[in-house]
Amino acid sequence: MKEFNTDVLIVGSGLVGLVAAHCLSSLNYKVTLVDKKDFINTKNHFNDTRTVAVSEGSKCFLEDLSLWGLLKKHAEPIKTIKVYDRSSYNKILFNNQIKHKKLGYVIENKKFSKILINELHKFKNTKINYGFNLKDIKFDKVIPRAFSDKSIINSKLIIAADGKNSQIKKIAGNKSFRKNYSESALVLNFFHEKKLNNIAYEIFYNTGPLAILPMKSADKYYQSTVIWSNRDEFLKKLISLENIFIRNFMEEKIGEIVGNIIKINSSQIFPLSAHINDSFINKQLIYIGDAAHSIHPIAGQGWNLGVNDVKNLYELSKNKKIDIGSDLFCRMYNNKSYHKAFQLFQVTDRLNSHFIYSGNVYRFLSNIGFNIIDKNQSMKNKITKYAMGF
């Protein structure tokens, strides 16, 4: 069995794991990134048209890593967000008041990950190893060891970036609090007739929120993605229909905004759940992104919360006086990352409960609240700054 040494072992090649690899590689750490599968070169990856919503704060961090210049041409900026609660009368219009900044950006996952991997290959101190089937982790006072079928990797620090169903978490024994929602999310990518003019929409129905996010135009058509939370059985029935019926149904729902739907490029369903670990560390192991936490997509902040983990990791790793992987290093990371994740876990859960609740008195009070916020620019500025990551 082959044995390798590295400074940092990152398990998981999703977007958060890739950004973490860039951070540490740029600081001249020896980085090894492993994954069980090569998602980039699989058929399923090319069929995956999911998008990621990048906040202005995350964009600034990617600029610091010299990555945004490569991503910018694939990113559709969001300048305005229109939020509706059941009807066009109950609305909040969010505009960015900070000069030269945007409310966010929308990028396709597959384009994002391809660029990150291409850039990672340029670091001589970085290795990417697919087909690494993690079997066990052993900790001691000096160095943790990760075991696969064919090799052993020794590192100063292990970073778990292997998603919601983290294999590392099962091996290491960290517990998490999980909430399963009764709905799933339909992610629909489509070409349409009307230009959205960099406006994103969030429409709250009794069954759950529906978000419309503008994407970069493709093949001379306007393109958007819809993320719609609804009952799992309803969504499964909907996408089992022929595309012409799905198009007609969605046009009735959002045709006033997007016009005629020209072509549905893809449709996928994902069960909705949220979780947060009891701790983001375990000896010389830290958790980032979905391996540490996941939240309801109602606010579109899940990926940016993972980037916040990576920012904290990056700032700590720049301080060469603190040994990477040391007890102090890991405790400081946990202290910097846990509070914000726990806060957003609670906020998004309560927001979802608030908008689904349909009691007449409750909805009347909610409508009053919407009108108050929409007329209070100072309050809207505070909300937009928080959502932008400032």
Side-chain angles (χ1 to χ4, degrees):
M1 185 173 286
K2 294 182 179 180
E3 192 162 346
F4 304 93
N5 296 315
T6 189
D7 291 328
V8 181
L9 171 64
I10 301 174
V11 181
S13 61
L15 289 177
V16 171
L18 291 170
V19 176
H22 270 276
C23 288
L24 297 170
S25 298
S26 70
L27 295 173
N28 296 316
Y29 288 100
K30 189 176 181 181
V31 176
T32 302
L33 177 72
V34 301
D35 207 313
K36 188 175 181 179
K37 295 181 180 179
D38 180 357
F39 293 101
I40 295 297
N41 295 313
T42 61
K43 183 179 178 181
N44 286 340
H45 180 80
F46 288 102
N47 290 336
D48 184 2
T49 53
R50 282 179 296 172
T51 57
V52 59
V54 180
S55 71
E56 183 68 31
S58 295
K59 171 247 184 180
C60 292
F61 181 57
L62 293 169
E63 276 184 326
D64 292 341
L65 297 174
S66 301
L67 289 171
W68 186 250
L70 302 167
L71 296 164
K72 186 178 179 180
K73 65 180 180 180
H74 302 292
E76 182 72 357
I78 296 173
K79 299 177 181 178
T80 304
I81 299 175
K82 294 183 177 181
V83 181
Y84 297 98
D85 185 12
R86 269 84 172 171
S87 78
S88 59
Y89 299 104
N90 302 319
K91 67 181 187 302
I92 303 176
L93 177 66
F94 292 103
N95 285 307
N96 171 40
Q97 302 295 311
I98 305 174
K99 197 174 182 180
H100 305 305
K101 302 293 182 184
K102 303 293 187 294
L103 293 178
Y105 306 83
V106 181
I107 310 178
E108 280 189 77
N109 284 23
K110 63 184 180 185
K111 291 178 180 176
F112 202 153
S113 54
K114 267 192 164 184
I115 289 169
L116 290 176
I117 287 176
N118 288 340
E119 289 304 298
L120 268 182
H121 282 307
K122 296 178 182 179
F123 289 102
K124 293 180 180 179
N125 54 324
T126 300
K127 291 182 179 178
I128 302 175
N129 183 0
Y130 294 114
F132 187 90
N133 188 16
L134 183 70
K135 293 294 185 181
D136 198 9
I137 296 172
K138 301 220 179 271
F139 298 99
D140 60 36
K141 293 182 180 179
V142 181
I143 204 160
R145 311 178 80 201
F147 297 80
S148 75
D149 299 320
K150 302 174 183 177
S151 61
I152 301 170
I153 300 179
N154 305 311
S155 63
K156 297 175 183 177
L157 175 69
I158 297 176
I159 299 176
D162 54 342
K164 272 188 179 184
N165 300 311
S166 170
Q167 177 68 11
I168 290 187
K169 187 158 53 180
K170 294 172 186 174
I171 294 170
N174 281 84
K175 306 298 181 186
S176 61
F177 173 77
R178 182 178 293 271
K179 179 163 185 177
N180 293 314
Y181 294 99
S182 58
E183 66 262 23
S184 292
L186 168 67
V187 180
L188 200 68
N189 179 296
F190 59 98
F191 293 141
H192 54 88
E193 182 184 38
K194 288 185 180 179
K195 187 175 182 180
L196 295 190
N197 296 310
N198 305 106
I199 300 172
Y201 294 81
E202 182 117 30
I203 306 164
F204 291 99
Y205 296 105
N206 292 337
T207 52
L210 183 152
I212 307 171
L213 303 178
M215 298 169 60
K216 277 291 182 187
S217 299
D219 298 332
K220 300 180 181 179
Y221 293 119
Y222 301 122
Q223 186 176 199
S224 292
T225 187
V226 157
I227 302 124
W228 187 16
S229 299
N230 209 315
R231 298 187 318 277
D232 183 66
E233 58 186 47
F234 169 78
L235 294 178
K236 284 180 178 176
K237 285 180 181 178
L238 178 63
I239 68 165
S240 69
L241 301 173
E242 292 183 21
N243 272 359
I244 189 169
F245 293 109
I246 302 174
R247 279 166 46 196
N248 290 339
F249 182 86
M250 294 308 296
E251 280 178 5
E252 286 184 21
K253 207 79 178 167
I254 59 173
E256 189 176 338
I257 296 170
V258 302
N260 293 328
I261 294 176
I262 298 165
K263 180 186 177 184
I264 292 175
N265 300 316
S266 69
S267 56
Q268 296 167 286
I269 295 176
F270 302 93
L272 290 181
S273 65
H275 81 280
I276 188 162
N277 290 10
D278 57 354
S279 173
F280 291 174
I281 60 173
N282 190 332
K283 297 178 181 176
Q284 300 112 314
L285 162 69
I286 69 170
Y287 295 90
I288 64 174
D290 282 356
H293 46 70
S294 61
I295 58 176
H296 194 285
I298 193 168
Q301 290 298 312
W303 188 78
N304 297 297
L305 187 57
V307 172
N308 184 67
D309 298 335
V310 179
K311 280 184 187 177
N312 295 333
L313 172 65
Y314 183 61
E315 292 302 319
L316 285 169
S317 302
K318 284 197 295 186
N319 185 353
K320 302 293 183 177
K321 293 179 182 178
I322 304 173
D323 291 335
I324 195 166
S326 66
D327 181 62
L328 176 61
F329 180 96
C330 293
R331 282 191 288 108
M332 289 179 71
Y333 167 77
N334 189 71
N335 292 342
K336 286 170 72 72
S337 300
Y338 200 91
H339 175 73
K340 184 171 183 178
F342 184 72
Q343 186 182 52
L344 265 177
F345 175 84
Q346 290 185 309
V347 167
T348 51
D349 181 61
R350 288 172 184 172
L351 273 175
N352 182 61
S353 298
H354 166 80
F355 284 109
I356 286 179
Y357 193 75
S358 57
N360 291 334
V361 175
Y362 192 85
R363 292 263 53 88
F364 174 73
L365 294 174
S366 177
N367 296 343
I368 292 173
F370 252 59
N371 290 329
I372 290 171
I373 294 173
D374 191 46
K375 293 175 182 176
N376 189 322
Q377 189 60 51
S378 176
M379 190 180 295
K380 289 200 291 186
N381 289 346
K382 288 178 181 178
I383 294 171
T384 53
K385 281 184 178 180
Y386 184 83
M388 290 167 69
F390 292 123

